[in-house]
């Protein structure tokens, strides 16, 4: 039975607290965490309580238990808003959520929460030493959300549901006009509309090809030097020749 | 409390005119154990701060101090004001803090349950309010368990270890359970007391013969039951029925009585139903869909069901909503009430057709978006359809990654643009299976099994270590590894991998599998062994025609049997290699709504399994070197929801094995063995179809003229099953259902004896447990009705244990 086990069972708050700090300094966050968890409720109102709470939150953070550390850092800066460590606590709370945010392919509820926290932090401490990092984190997360909506729109294109792809790309372009993926979305919308028209019933084809031309023009206006230019031009040329074919077979329609 | 004027103070604070001050000093009085510095930190105030007095800053400080839960009272005074400097004094009252609490008089499990319910936090002060809350929580807990007379005594005593702390001893005497001895109705003429008592679902009388009925009295359930009683009256046309009064009284210390006084009112009937505002469908057609005729008993609930949502058939809303009319609205208005007759006018507003704009998924914390989205049938740009929505729900449930009972469908209409966004909410459930088992394998001794099935694997993330949590998952691929061995005599290894959407464009499922089996004859004087190795490659896809429930799959498989002194097929072929190359095509239509406990839908499949017809091209006649057969299987299974959680499953299964040329005989491969649990037992041999028939010994049922051939298996079989299933626990972690079955089947040794009406019958009951981590486990008791010739020793009633989902 180790010293640590004895400490865990002891009823001496001060001894436990002292040991917890030692473990913390040594980097043994697991043991520090165990001890702090026990003594914290009994230390409320004492001078050391502030430090204990911050350390407790940080032991979770260091052990990559980000859900817990986010919660504990939040409790810290809500309890001690005037503390010198409040700023760091708030930043670490946001960073915990940032670290906890999953890949773009999974549910992004925690990403949104993380972004809210970062914003809250930046409003509260605009001149913080952590501001640059916080801004960077925010950009990473927002790019992740962009990628998610772009990929889910592109999924319909991949699945060859071209009509759905056009609707999804249009939604994407409306909601994320300045996204790094807008250019590709804009090009893919032209291509999806062209393919959709191609597999449509003859009655609807002309109308739909014309819409593809509209999308092409929107694309070329916005991204005149696009890396998709060549491919887009090819689609445009194909669209024109299709429209010409329609005109020939049904001259009354034009 | 914020008391800013005290007697000692000369300059008063004007509440009408708040002023800005700078804090000149903060002091805490009345504290013995607490530290003023940390209290200042908690209060959020600092010397030098600018605050408004009176104002929010002080209120907030008081609130913060309170929130710590360590104080009994907080008063704030202004000690003096010097210029714009204000000096504050916080007068605090300390209360003892809770260091521990203990229960007495109840057992451990109840203590644990209570600990969850009561809100006692160590380190917080103990006030009268805290004690009262604790008492109330305990009383409520016991009241729910029908201990209405529980006595609770809480004793405080100082903790010797910590200063200013107390230990609470909570002494509980829960007393006797109080049950309902009588339920009395008054004022009921149309229905008997007995019928009305039946409507109260959770409030029941105690009777010695009602072993399974709980006769506890629970207030919330009772309120609910009163509503159910009124619902019952309403559904019978008594739409004015009310409960005039009701009382609960003591009959004896542990018995309660309930009296309910009713006023039934009149019974009403429908007279004329008219439609207004409908342009898409005729009045007559809508009336037919509604299915309510003149003279029917008035029932508001049923009317709503037929208008809005009818789980068992079509309703008026579905008619519109399946065609995109999401903004459709119908309002049944009682235009005239004449005596006992009611005229109803249906005010219909059809609205525009809604187009789906965005489709999103939330809650997929493990599964990738595209795996979910590709299953969903509501696509952007399409017309909204409720049918598609429900179909999508079923598809998601069938994936097996999510808890089927909590899949949420949230259409969010946007009437200005005529569009609708649809959000699906899912909650992941664990569905990887690990099996580790040991068993007795008959003559070869102990057999150990290690198995691992990952149902939502991702090979794409295999190289990204950050995505391993704990395994790369989320792409819907299936990986299965299984090793079974007893050391020297028996070893079996198998591996399979499935990608359900090969190429990511279409539902083309690719499965590759390989296996290897080594079997040695134990305790033989010469080396006798059999190796069976093989592999299979299969490609399956969903068809769009005749409808998109159809699936077609092709499998190419190769099995090689290597024999050394092993009389697998009698003495004619003991040494050498036997090759079995076959091609299987299966056409299936699957429309069940839930894979673990289907309630409706069907599963029909026709399978054809062919080897090349060697004998038609060559005269080679070693029947074993290249195995030759063709085999046809038909399976049909239908599910019907009879009521609530009761489902009827009817199944029919047929199988036929043929040769190509009449000159050859049908070999020993791919035969049918009928009887028992259908698992194949210890001597499972690749290339045999083990089919269950409960109530009979394993592999015992065969119709063969030659008694020496009883163990060879049949070349044709049929089996019919009707099974009533009742869902006991829908919990996705452990879905449990009970069943009662009647089944009949036979397998035939030759075609001239084939007779579909000659069957061996049995009946019985059983239970199935589906646990996400283990798969499906089953336990059945079957009773056979017929005797199998040549098996006089067979027991009439048999227990069967089953593992895994059984198709046949």
């Amino acid at each position: 039975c180790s010293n640590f086990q004895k400490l865990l069972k002891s009823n001496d708050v001060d001894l436990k607290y002292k040991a917890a700090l030692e473990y913390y300094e040594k980097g043994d966050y697991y043991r520090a965490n165990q001890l702090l968890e026990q003594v914290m409720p009994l230390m409320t109102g004492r001078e050391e309580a502030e430090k204990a709470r911050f350390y407790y939150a940080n032991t979770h953070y260091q052990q990559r238990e980000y859900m817990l550390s986010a919660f504990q850092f939040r409790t810290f800066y809500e309890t001690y808003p005037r503390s010198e460590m409040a700023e760091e606590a708030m930043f670490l709370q946001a960073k915990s959520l940032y670290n906890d945010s999953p890949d773009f392919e999974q549910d992004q509820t925690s990403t949104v929460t993380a972004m809210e926290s970062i914003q809250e932090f930046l409003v509260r401490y605009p001149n913080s030493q952590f501001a640059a990092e916080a801004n960077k984190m925010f950009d990473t997360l927002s790019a992740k959300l962009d990628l998610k909506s772009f990929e889910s729109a592109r999924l319909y294109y991949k699945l060859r549901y071209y009509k759905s792809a056009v609707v999804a790309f249009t939604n994407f372009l409306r909601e994320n006009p300045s996204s790094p993926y807008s250019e590709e979305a804009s090009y893919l919308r032209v291509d999806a509309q062209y393919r959709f028209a191609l597999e449509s019933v003859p009655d609807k084809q002309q109308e739909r090809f014309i819409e593809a031309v509209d999308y092409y023009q929107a694309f070329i206006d916005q991204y005149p030097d696009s890396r998709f230019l060549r491919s887009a031009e090819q689609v445009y040329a194909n669209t024109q020749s299709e429209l010409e074919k329609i005109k020939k077979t049904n001259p009354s329609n034009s | 409390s914020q008391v800013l004027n005290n007697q000692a103070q000369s300059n008063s604070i004007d509440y009408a005119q708040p002023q800005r001050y700078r804090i000149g000093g903060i002091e805490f009085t009345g504290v013995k154990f607490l530290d003023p510095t940390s209290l200042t930190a908690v209060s959020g105030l600092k010397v030098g701060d600018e605050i408004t007095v009176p104002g929010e800053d002080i209120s907030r400080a008081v609130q913060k101090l309170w929130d710590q839960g360590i104080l009994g009272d907080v008063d704030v005074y202004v000690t003096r004001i010097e210029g714009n400097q204000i000096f504050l004094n916080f007068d605090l009252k300390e209360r003892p803090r809770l260091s521990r609490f203990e229960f007495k008089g109840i057992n451990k499990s109840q203590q644990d349950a209570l600990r969850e319910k009561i809100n006692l936090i160590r380190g917080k002060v103990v006030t009268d309010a805290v004690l009262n809350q604790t008492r109330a929580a305990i009383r409520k807990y016991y009241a729910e368990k029908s201990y209405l007379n529980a006595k609770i005594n809480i004793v405080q005593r100082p903790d010797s270890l910590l200063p200013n702390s107390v230990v609470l001893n909570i002494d509980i005497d829960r007393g006797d359970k109080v049950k309902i001895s009588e339920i009395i109705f008054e004022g009921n003429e149309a229905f008997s007391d007995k019928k009305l008592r039946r409507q109260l679902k959770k409030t029941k009388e105690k009777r010695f013969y009602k072993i399974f009925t709980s006769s506890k009295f629970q207030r919330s359930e009772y309120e609910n039951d009163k509503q159910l009683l009124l619902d019952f009256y309403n559904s019978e046309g008594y739409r004015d029925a009310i409960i005039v009064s009701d009382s609960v009284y003591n009959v004896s210390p542990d018995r309660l009585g309930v009296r309910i006084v009713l006023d039934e009112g009149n019974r009403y009937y429908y007279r004329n139903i008219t439609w207004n505002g409908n342009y898409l469908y005729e009045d007559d057609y809508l009336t037919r869909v509604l299915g309510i005729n003149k003279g029917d008993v008035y029932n508001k609930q049923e009317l709503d069901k037929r208008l809005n949502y009818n789980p068992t058939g079509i309703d008026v809303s579905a008619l519109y909503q399946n065609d995109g009319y999401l903004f459709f609205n119908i309002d049944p208005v009682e235009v005239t009430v004449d005596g006992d007759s009611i005229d109803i006018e249906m005010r219909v507003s059809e609205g525009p057709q809604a187009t789906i704009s965005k489709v999103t998924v939330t809650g997929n914390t493990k599964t990738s978006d595209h795996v979910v989205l590709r299953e969903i049938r509501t696509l952007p740009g399409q017309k909204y359809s409720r049918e598609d929505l429900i179909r999508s729900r079923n598809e998601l449930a069938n994936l097996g990654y999510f808890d089927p009972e909590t899949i949420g469908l949230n259409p969010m209409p946007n009437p200005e643009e005529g569009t609708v966004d649809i959000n699906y909410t899912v909650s992941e459930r664990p569905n990887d299976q690990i099996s580790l088992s040991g068993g007795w394998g008959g003559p070869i001794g102990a057999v150990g099994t290690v198995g691992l099935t990952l149902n939502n694997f991702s090979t794409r993330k295999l190289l990204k270590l950050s995505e391993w949590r704990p395994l790369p998952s989320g792409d819907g691929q299936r990986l299965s590894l299984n090793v079974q061995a007893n050391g020297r005599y028996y070893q079996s290894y198998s591996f399979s991998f499935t990608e359900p959407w090969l190429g990511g464009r279409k539902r083309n499922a690719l499965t590759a599998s390989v296996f290897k089996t080594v079997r040695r004859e134990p305790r033989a004087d010469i080396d006798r062994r059999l190796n069976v190795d093989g592999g299979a490659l299969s490609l399956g896809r969903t068809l769009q025609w005749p409808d998109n429930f159809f699936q077609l799959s092709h499998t190419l498989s190769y099995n090689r049997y290597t024999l050394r002194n092993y009389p697998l097929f009698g003495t004619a072929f003991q040494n050498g290699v036997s090759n079995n190359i076959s091609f299987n095509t299966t056409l299936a239509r699957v429309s069940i709504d839930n894979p673990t406990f289907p309630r409706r839908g069907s599963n029909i499949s026709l399978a054809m399994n062919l080897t090349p017809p060697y004998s038609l091209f060559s005269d080679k006649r070693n029947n074993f070197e290249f195995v030759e057969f063709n085999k046809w299987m038909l399976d049909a299974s239908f599910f019907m929801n009879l009521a609530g959680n009761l489902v009827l499953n009817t199944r029919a299964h047929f199988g036929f094995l043929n040769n190509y040329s009449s000159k050859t005989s049908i070999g020993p491969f791919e035969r049918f063995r009928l009887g028992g649990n259908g698992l194949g037992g210890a001597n499972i041999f690749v290339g045999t179809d083990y089919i269950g028939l409960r109530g009979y010994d394993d592999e015992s049922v065969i119709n063969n003229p030659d008694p020496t051939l009883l163990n060879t298996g049949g070349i044709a079989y049929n089996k019919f099953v009707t099974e009533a299933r009742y869902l006991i626990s829908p919990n996705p972690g452990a879905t449990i259902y009970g069943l009662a079955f009647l089944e009949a089947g036979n397998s035939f040794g030759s075609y001239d004896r084939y007779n579909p009406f000659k069957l061996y019958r049995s009946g019985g009951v059983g239970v199935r447990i589906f646990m996400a981590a283990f798969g499906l486990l089953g336990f059945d008791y079957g009773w056979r009705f017929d005797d199998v010739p040549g098996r006089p020793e067979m027991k009439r009633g048999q227990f069967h244990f089953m593992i895994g989902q059984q198709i046949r």
Side-chain angles (χ1 to χ4, degrees):
Chain A
C1 181
S2 69
N3 201 14
F4 176 66
Q5 291 299 327
K6 272 186 208 146
L7 271 171
L8 270 184
K9 284 183 193 138
S10 136
N11 267 335
D12 189 335
V13 174
D14 291 313
L15 185 73
K16 278 185 174 178
Y17 177 64
K18 220 179 111 227
L21 291 189
E22 276 167 26
Y23 281 124
Y24 184 89
E25 299 302 338
K26 268 193 285 177
D28 188 343
Y29 297 111
Y30 172 74
R31 286 182 172 171
N33 173 279
Q34 296 278 304
L35 290 170
L36 284 172
E37 186 175 5
Q38 289 190 349
V39 296
M40 247 189 9
L42 301 173
M43 289 181 64
T44 328
R46 282 173 49 179
E47 197 181 351
E48 301 94 326
E50 183 179 326
K51 196 171 172 188
R53 189 167 276 285
F54 185 87
Y55 276 23
Y56 179 62
N58 204 22
T59 53
H60 281 302
Y61 182 81
Q62 297 291 347
Q63 292 183 84
R64 296 165 175 265
E65 293 162 350
Y66 296 123
M67 289 281 269
L68 292 167
S69 67
F71 176 78
Q72 293 298 342
F73 279 125
R74 173 173 279 275
T75 322
F76 177 85
Y77 71 71
E78 279 176 355
T79 316
Y80 306 104
R82 306 295 298 257
S83 163
E84 282 171 7
M85 293 178 280
E87 178 184 333
E88 191 178 355
M90 199 168 178
F91 173 71
L92 285 175
Q93 193 247 156
K95 197 169 176 183
S96 299
L97 291 169
Y98 168 79
N99 284 334
D100 204 43
S101 155
D103 199 31
F104 79 93
E105 291 181 294
Q106 274 90 38
D107 183 31
Q108 295 298 310
T109 316
S110 49
T111 306
V112 175
T113 328
M115 288 171 78
E116 284 165 3
S117 292
I118 296 172
Q119 261 172 335
E120 207 183 316
F121 172 75
L122 287 170
V123 169
R124 187 84 153 270
Y125 303 103
N127 303 317
S128 165
Q129 49 165 328
F130 305 113
E133 194 182 349
N135 273 315
K136 219 170 116 193
M137 277 162 26
F138 189 85
D139 292 346
T140 313
L141 293 180
S142 107
K144 193 190 280 189
L145 289 186
D146 268 11
L147 179 61
K148 185 189 181 77
S149 16
F150 174 67
E151 282 296 333
S152 47
R154 200 169 69 153
L155 176 71
Y156 293 111
Y157 180 80
K158 267 199 216 159
L159 293 171
R160 298 183 186 143
Y161 301 151
Y162 294 120
K163 184 178 163 192
S164 301
V166 171
V167 174
F169 283 130
T170 307
N171 281 337
F172 176 79
L173 289 170
R174 197 181 54 220
E175 282 162 23
N176 312 282
S178 58
S179 150
Y181 305 100
S182 297
E183 183 181 336
E184 191 172 356
S186 187
Y187 157 66
L188 286 175
R189 183 169 69 157
V190 180
D191 193 46
Q193 178 66 30
Y194 164 72
R195 286 165 193 266
F196 172 49
L198 209 57
E199 60 189 30
S200 295
V201 289
D203 263 13
K204 299 264 186 185
Q205 269 187 327
Q206 189 177 19
E207 177 193 327
R208 287 173 183 171
F209 279 122
I210 288 171
E211 205 159 336
V213 173
D214 287 349
Y215 290 149
Y216 172 73
Q217 284 163 351
F219 167 73
I220 208 86
D221 286 349
Q222 188 143 22
Y223 307 103
D225 314 312
S226 172
R227 61 197 159 104
F228 302 106
L229 196 61
R230 293 280 291 276
S231 324
E233 274 174 341
Q234 186 58 50
V235 176
Y236 180 55
N238 292 345
T239 312
Q240 281 179 322
S241 66
E242 290 293 335
L243 278 170
E244 225 140 274
K245 257 193 258 168
I246 293 169
K247 217 182 240 173
K248 262 185 215 152
T249 50
N250 196 356
S252 63
N253 217 349
S254 50
Chain B
S1 54
Q2 192 169 347
V3 187
L4 289 160
N5 288 314
N6 73 5
Q7 283 89 3
Q9 187 176 316
S10 52
N11 41 355
S12 62
I13 300 278
D14 188 355
Y15 272 78
Q17 283 179 318
Q19 266 185 294
R20 301 288 290 170
Y21 291 101
R22 190 173 292 280
I23 300 177
I26 304 168
E27 64 173 332
F28 288 89
T29 51
V31 286
K32 261 188 291 181
F33 303 98
L34 297 169
D35 169 61
T37 329
S38 66
L39 286 172
T40 318
V42 167
S43 74
L45 297 175
K46 238 182 194 169
V47 173
D49 274 4
E50 271 225 348
I51 59 167
T52 309
V53 182
E56 267 184 28
D57 306 278
I58 290 182
S59 307
R60 207 180 296 133
V62 173
Q63 185 62 46
K64 286 236 161 103
L65 289 167
W66 258 123
D67 287 347
Q68 294 297 304
I70 50 176
L71 295 168
D73 194 14
V74 182
D75 283 345
V76 188
Y77 299 100
V78 175
T79 39
R80 62 183 194 280
I81 295 174
E82 289 172 7
N84 76 333
Q85 295 243 37
I86 194 164
F87 292 82
L88 297 173
N89 168 247
F90 286 81
D91 190 25
L92 310 177
K93 280 203 185 67
E94 286 180 321
R95 282 283 169 90
R97 300 212 222 165
L98 178 66
S99 67
R100 267 177 303 138
F101 59 94
E102 281 160 7
F103 290 105
K104 255 193 206 161
I106 51 172
N107 64 25
K108 181 84 172 55
S109 65
Q110 284 181 11
Q111 289 187 13
D112 289 344
L114 272 177
R115 252 176 246 278
E116 305 266 305
K117 302 270 173 191
I118 61 177
N119 196 22
L120 282 178
I121 300 165
R122 287 164 57 228
K124 302 271 162 169
V125 287
V126 179
T127 60
D128 290 345
V130 169
L131 295 178
N132 281 337
Q133 276 167 17
T134 308
R135 217 171 274 134
I138 297 173
R139 184 153 291 138
K140 181 161 171 261
Y141 172 79
Y142 279 106
E144 274 167 17
K145 294 195 173 305
S146 192
Y147 293 100
L148 298 184
N149 303 325
K151 290 189 189 68
I152 302 142
N153 189 19
I154 304 182
V155 183
Q156 294 187 43
R157 75 182 158 78
D159 190 345
S160 50
L161 285 168
L162 273 175
N164 191 34
S165 295
V166 289
V167 178
L168 291 186
N169 281 332
I170 305 171
D171 205 342
I172 298 171
D173 174 14
R174 59 179 195 186
D176 284 326
K177 247 189 186 172
V178 178
K179 305 217 160 171
I180 301 164
S181 67
E182 56 185 17
I183 300 173
I184 296 168
F185 292 100
E186 278 170 30
N188 52 322
E189 285 159 20
F191 301 101
S192 68
D193 287 3
K194 199 176 161 193
K195 179 122 194 169
L196 294 183
R197 262 184 224 123
R198 224 171 20 234
Q199 305 309 320
L200 306 176
K201 293 293 172 224
K202 289 279 163 74
T203 311
K204 298 282 185 196
E205 291 177 328
K206 176 83 190 151
R207 290 285 181 268
F208 71 90
Y209 52 84
K210 290 182 183 167
I211 316 167
F212 296 113
T213 316
S214 154
S215 55
K216 288 191 270 189
F217 180 81
Q218 285 165 277
R219 175 59 65 178
S220 59
E221 294 290 359
Y222 173 62
E223 294 300 327
N224 206 5
D225 280 347
K226 283 200 291 188
Q227 190 54 47
L228 285 177
L229 188 68
L230 289 182
D231 289 349
F232 167 71
Y233 265 103
N234 291 341
S235 72
E236 290 290 335
Y238 294 89
R239 61 167 203 153
D240 298 338
I242 48 161
I243 293 177
V244 181
S245 69
D246 66 298
S247 59
V248 180
Y249 50 91
N250 278 327
V251 176
S252 66
D254 62 345
R255 288 288 181 270
L256 283 179
V258 176
R259 174 181 285 117
I260 297 174
V261 183
L262 290 158
D263 180 8
E264 292 179 333
N266 283 335
R267 193 173 202 183
Y268 290 87
Y269 300 89
Y270 291 106
R271 198 165 59 187
N272 299 316
I273 296 177
T274 49
W275 299 83
N276 213 335
N278 52 317
Y279 300 101
L280 242 65
Y281 299 101
E282 302 279 315
D283 289 6
D284 285 355
Y285 181 65
L286 289 173
T287 309
R288 254 201 329 276
V289 170
L290 186 68
I292 290 175
N293 299 319
K294 194 172 173 172
D296 285 356
V297 169
Y298 181 83
N299 179 352
K300 185 85 171 68
Q301 253 178 316
E302 180 70 20
L303 179 70
D304 280 345
K305 201 169 103 181
R306 304 253 177 127
L307 285 178
N308 296 318
Y309 186 70
N310 185 0
T312 52
I314 192 156
D315 50 88
V316 177
S317 300
L319 211 62
Y320 282 94
Q321 298 203 340
N322 288 346
D323 199 22
Y325 290 89
L326 177 67
F327 307 114
F328 161 81
N329 184 23
I330 189 161
D331 187 17
V333 180
E334 295 172 9
V335 280
T336 15
V337 181
D338 181 11
D340 64 351
S341 306
I342 295 177
D343 287 346
I344 291 194
E345 184 184 314
M346 301 288 182
R347 299 196 179 148
V348 180
S349 141
E350 293 178 339
Q353 270 178 302
T355 314
I356 299 167
S357 171
K358 280 207 293 191
V359 179
T360 50
V361 186
T362 51
N364 52 325
T365 51
K366 190 170 130 190
T367 310
S368 297
D369 281 344
H370 69 97
V371 174
V372 186
L373 286 174
R374 68 193 182 189
E375 301 291 339
I376 287 174
R377 309 226 165 208
T378 50
L379 300 169
Q382 269 185 353
K383 291 275 173 282
Y384 173 82
S385 155
R386 200 172 79 185
E387 204 175 80
D388 284 347
L389 204 64
I390 290 166
R391 176 84 189 271
S392 303
R393 199 203 70 85
N394 291 349
E395 299 283 354
L396 292 183
N398 279 332
L399 282 176
Y401 311 146
F402 309 115
D403 173 7
E405 309 286 330
T406 60
I407 294 174
L409 317 168
N410 313 311
M412 292 167 289
N414 183 352
E416 285 104 75
E417 293 181 22
T419 59
V420 55
D421 293 346
I422 301 174
N423 177 248
Y424 292 84
T425 54
V426 293
S427 61
E428 304 260 0
R429 67 170 185 193
N431 65 341
D432 292 337
Q433 292 164 5
I434 293 177
S435 62
L436 201 67
S437 69
W440 193 252
I444 57 167
V447 176
T449 308
V450 181
L452 176 68
T453 304
L454 305 173
N455 280 312
N456 195 355
F457 191 70
S458 170
T459 45
R460 190 170 51 107
K461 295 180 185 163
L462 208 55
L463 296 174
K464 285 210 284 192
L465 269 180
S466 62
E467 296 290 335
W468 285 57
R469 40 181 144 174
L471 284 163
S473 63
D475 278 354
Q477 295 168 337
R478 191 187 139 94
L479 188 75
S480 167
L481 262 166
N482 205 48
V483 176
Q484 218 179 3
N486 102 314
R488 189 174 154 70
Y489 299 125
Y490 176 70
Q491 289 156 27
S492 150
Y493 309 90
S494 64
F495 171 83
S496 85
F497 173 78
T498 304
E499 162 58 62
W501 282 64
L502 186 65
R505 286 184 194 281
K506 281 212 161 83
R507 219 181 285 249
N508 295 335
L510 176 82
T511 303
S513 62
V514 286
F515 71 91
K516 178 177 177 62
T517 318
V518 181
R519 186 194 288 266
R520 288 194 181 84
E521 187 85 357
R523 289 170 292 278
D525 38 358
I526 49 169
D527 184 15
R528 290 178 190 277
R529 70 165 76 167
L530 165 69
N531 288 2
V532 187
D533 310 315
L537 196 65
S538 91
L539 190 65
R541 61 196 178 99
T542 309
L543 302 182
Q544 295 303 319
W545 185 89
D547 68 19
N548 52 14
F549 289 113
F550 275 88
Q551 298 167 358
L552 182 68
S553 74
H554 303 288
T555 308
L556 181 66
S557 62
Y558 170 66
N559 291 343
R560 187 182 63 184
Y561 305 82
T562 314
L563 294 86
R564 185 182 297 169
N565 300 318
Y566 203 94
L568 181 65
F569 316 116
T571 48
F573 182 75
Q574 287 196 30
N575 280 295
V577 175
S578 171
N579 299 288
N580 180 350
I581 303 166
S582 67
F583 188 76
N584 180 307
T585 300
T586 303
L587 179 67
R589 184 180 190 277
V590 181
S591 63
I592 55 175
D593 60 342
N594 180 334
T596 27
F597 187 78
R599 285 193 162 90
R600 31 185 97 75
S602 62
N603 186 346
I604 302 164
S605 92
L606 176 67
M608 173 182 80
N609 195 2
L610 310 173
T611 62
Y614 309 106
S615 59
L616 298 184
F617 305 119
S618 76
D619 287 336
K620 71 106 207 171
R621 255 336 341 144
N622 177 346
N623 228 333
F624 296 106
E625 199 176 339
F626 286 94
V627 177
E628 181 179 328
F629 63 87
N630 62 68
K631 183 174 172 181
W632 305 76
M633 306 283 273
L634 176 68
D635 300 285
S637 172
F638 300 89
F639 293 92
M640 207 162 78
N641 201 349
L642 296 178
N645 283 333
L646 184 65
V647 171
L648 182 72
N649 174 219
T650 44
R651 309 201 296 265
H653 308 279
F654 301 91
F656 303 99
L657 184 67
N658 287 308
N659 49 355
Y660 290 103
S661 143
S662 55
K663 281 177 258 170
T664 57
S665 60
I666 299 170
F669 294 93
E670 298 295 330
R671 286 180 174 243
F672 307 107
R673 296 188 178 207
L674 192 68
N677 56 18
L679 293 180
N683 31 350
I684 182 151
F685 165 51
V686 181
T688 304
D689 261 310
Y690 295 93
I691 292 144
L693 187 67
R694 290 164 285 191
Y696 294 85
D697 280 352
D698 288 354
E699 303 151 43
S700 65
V701 180
I702 182 149
N703 190 334
N704 203 315
D706 184 348
T708 62
L709 291 178
L710 282 180
N711 287 322
T712 53
I715 57 165
Y717 90 96
N718 44 39
K719 177 182 168 185
F720 308 94
V721 186
T722 56
E723 202 167 271
R725 298 177 173 182
Y726 185 78
L727 186 63
I728 298 166
S729 156
N731 177 1
T735 309
I736 305 173
Y737 63 88
L739 56 89
F741 65 87
L742 281 174
E743 63 185 18
N746 199 354
S747 103
F748 305 91
S750 61
Y751 280 105
D752 45 318
R753 298 183 69 86
Y754 182 75
N755 175 359
F757 300 106
K758 172 142 184 52
L759 297 168
Y760 293 99
R761 298 160 300 170
S762 66
V765 291
V767 65
R768 293 280 181 286
I769 303 167
F770 176 83
M771 276 182 287
F774 298 105
L776 190 74
L777 302 176
F779 199 63
D780 284 355
Y781 181 76
W783 183 263
R784 70 183 162 89
F785 302 148
D786 299 297
D787 292 323
V788 180
R791 305 262 186 178
E793 79 289 358
M794 196 191 291
K795 281 199 251 102
R796 208 156 253 290
Q798 302 216 5
F799 281 106
H800 301 288
F801 177 68
M802 290 167 218
I803 305 170
Q805 189 84 257
Q806 299 200 312
I807 307 153
R808 300 188 175 103

